[in-house]
Amino acid sequence: MPRLAVLGYPVGHSRSPAMHNAALAELGLGEEWSYEAIEVAPDALEARVRAMPSEGFVGANITVPHKGAALALADELSETAREIGAANTLVFADGEVRAENTDADGLLRALPASLTGRRALVLGAGGAARAVVWALLREGAEVSVWNRTELRSQHLCEELGGEAVGEPRQDAYDVIVNSTSVGLAGGDPFAELPLRVGGFSAKQTVVDMVYGGEQTALLRAAEAAGASVVDGIEILVQQGALSLEIWTGRPAPLETMRTAARA
């Protein structure tokens, strides 16, 4: 039985197993393939990944905080993963670990409009942020990056492009993407991010890569101001569909995945 998994720390909140197992069933692979969540601490990641092929795993998704480390331990890198400097998808084949990144294209598929010439603010400087910055720049956006530790955002921009900012003006951007984990545990994003509850406008698109049982406080505030919003589940679905297609070679059933992820 080919096995798949998502590796993270923590990983108990992940909707990926429900989403992917529903998709596998829809594709007629449910009795042969399986997908599970595996919590693994950073210092145990390499050993866990190296053991997976012998346990029947053919691939894995990688989530917080392992995306940079997953890239480093891979034997082969896709060009996208190499350029971004992070991996969210691993393929185990022919005794090797191949790293892919579907986060960038997943984000672009989830966005409602063209990014050419638009000003974008990315919050965060981790593995997810790297994919966001790379994708936005590739599509022609002007990108600013904020991180609590400004040195990290400066290093990211030196590697990928964009401009590191210390005190961004919320109303100066057409697109705002929260790629941090702020809000994952239900905290107040406005206490930790350089944003104001009443600082959004109807001209903006606001993306929160965090997801939970209900819409995040960040997106509720943006939607109240008339902004277009994209939640973390839609991005999860889009990047997950691309990963599934890499593993199975079949078109992913998007609506089935979306329904299962939101259930």
Side-chain angles (χ1 to χ4, degrees), residues 200-245:
F200 298 109
S201 72
K203 72 173 185 177
Q204 293 176 314
T205 297
V206 180
V207 182
D208 194 351
M209 299 182 78
V210 167
Y211 63 83
E214 56 186 35
Q215 191 178 53
T216 64
L218 187 66
L219 293 189
R220 288 198 300 272
E223 197 167 58
S228 299
V229 299
V230 178
D231 67 9
I233 291 183
E234 183 60 25
I235 296 172
L236 176 75
V237 168
Q238 295 292 346
Q239 63 82 17
L242 292 167
S243 295
L244 189 68
E245 290 170 5

Side-chain angles (χ1 to χ4, degrees), residues 15-47:
R15 308 280 178 96
S16 291
M19 177 179 76
H20 281 287
N21 283 317
L24 291 168
E26 179 72 17
L27 293 172
L29 300 174
E31 294 185 4
E32 303 170 25
W33 293 62
S34 67
Y35 189 109
E36 62 198 88
I38 300 175
E39 184 163 303
V40 54
D43 60 359
L45 178 67
E46 181 167 6

Side-chain angles (χ1 to χ4, degrees), residues 12-239:
H13 67 284
S14 178
R15 308 280 178 96
S16 291
M19 177 179 76
H20 281 287
N21 283 317
L24 291 168
E26 179 72 17
L27 293 172
L29 300 174
E31 294 185 4
E32 303 170 25
W33 293 62
S34 67
Y35 189 109
E36 62 198 88
I38 300 175
E39 184 163 303
V40 54
D43 60 359
L45 178 67
E46 181 167 6
R48 189 71 195 88
V49 168
R50 296 294 180 197
M52 292 178 80
S54 65
E55 297 170 354
F57 287 93
V58 297
N61 281 130
I62 304 295
T63 189
V64 176
H66 300 316
K67 294 184 180 186
L71 185 85
L73 62 81
D75 303 301
E76 181 184 345
L77 313 179
S78 71
E79 192 59 33
T80 298
R82 184 190 307 277
E83 291 182 8
I84 291 171
N88 79 317
T89 302
L90 299 179
V91 180
F92 308 127
D94 303 320
E96 293 190 335
V97 178
R98 187 169 84 248
E100 306 270 359
N101 193 304
T102 66
D103 278 335
D105 283 336
L107 170 70
L108 294 177
R109 289 186 179 196
L111 290 172
S114 169
L115 295 165
T116 304
R118 304 186 79 191
R119 297 193 67 193
L121 172 65
V122 178
L123 306 171
R130 295 184 69 90
V132 172
V133 171
W134 185 87
L136 296 177
L137 288 170
R138 189 182 69 170
E139 292 299 302
E142 298 176 26
V143 179
S144 298
V145 182
W146 173 92
N147 192 64
R148 184 183 293 108
T149 304
E150 191 168 350
L151 189 60
R152 291 193 66 195
S153 56
Q154 290 172 351
H155 286 164
L156 187 155
C157 292
E158 287 169 3
E159 292 179 40
L160 298 180
E163 175 189 15
V165 293
E167 297 181 2
R169 279 185 49 210
Q170 186 173 344
D171 62 354
Y173 298 97
D174 304 300
V175 180
I176 298 174
V177 182
N178 175 35
S179 68
T180 75
S181 60
V182 171
L184 183 61
D188 178 10
F190 299 103
E192 300 186 57
L193 300 175
L195 301 174
R196 295 181 296 106
V197 174
F200 298 109
S201 72
K203 72 173 185 177
Q204 293 176 314
T205 297
V206 180
V207 182
D208 194 351
M209 299 182 78
V210 167
Y211 63 83
E214 56 186 35
Q215 191 178 53
T216 64
L218 187 66
L219 293 189
R220 288 198 300 272
E223 197 167 58
S228 299
V229 299
V230 178
D231 67 9
I233 291 183
E234 183 60 25
I235 296 172
L236 176 75
V237 168
Q238 295 292 346
Q239 63 82 17

